[in-house]
Amino acid sequence: MESIYNIILGSVIPALGGYLWARYKSYKEVKAAEKKEYELIKRGLQSLLRDRMLQAYYYHKKMGYASSDDKGAFEAMHAAYAGLGKNGVMDTVYKEFMVLPNENA
């Protein structure tokens, strides 16, 4: 009887350990893939915000002014952009945009 328990335990414990290890590896792979996807989405969103802010900046700079609503929208985009990470160049663009006159002179 004892040898049956030894055989069962000798088979079940390694099988259970193998199963748990496989589940853990699968979990880690899924998490790594999710992190990669998150980073791609983050970079894409940041690129879109940067492009949109540059378009608004050049348009309003050419016009010579920006309304309060335009500045509010730009400020919201900049806050979201800055929250996503790097923003050195866009900080300068933001400051220049915010000092544009409010009305056409």
Side-chain angles (χ1 to χ4, degrees), residues 28-89:
K28 294 295 275 182
E29 290 170 0
V30 167
K31 286 297 176 189
E34 287 175 353
K35 183 177 180 181
K36 184 177 179 180
E37 182 179 29
Y38 167 78
E39 288 299 322
L40 290 171
I41 291 169
K42 179 179 156 181
R43 284 197 331 236
L45 180 57
Q46 192 174 30
S47 295
L48 289 171
L49 285 166
R50 179 185 174 100
D51 179 65
R52 183 62 192 102
M53 286 189 294
L54 287 172
Q55 285 181 18
Y57 170 73
Y58 290 122
Y59 175 77
H60 289 284
K61 186 176 179 183
K62 184 177 179 180
M63 286 181 24
Y65 70 96
S67 70
S68 297
D69 289 341
D70 294 327
K71 288 180 180 182
F74 198 92
E75 186 172 24
M77 285 189 289
H78 181 264
Y81 179 85
L84 291 171
K86 305 175 206 172
N87 61 341
V89 173

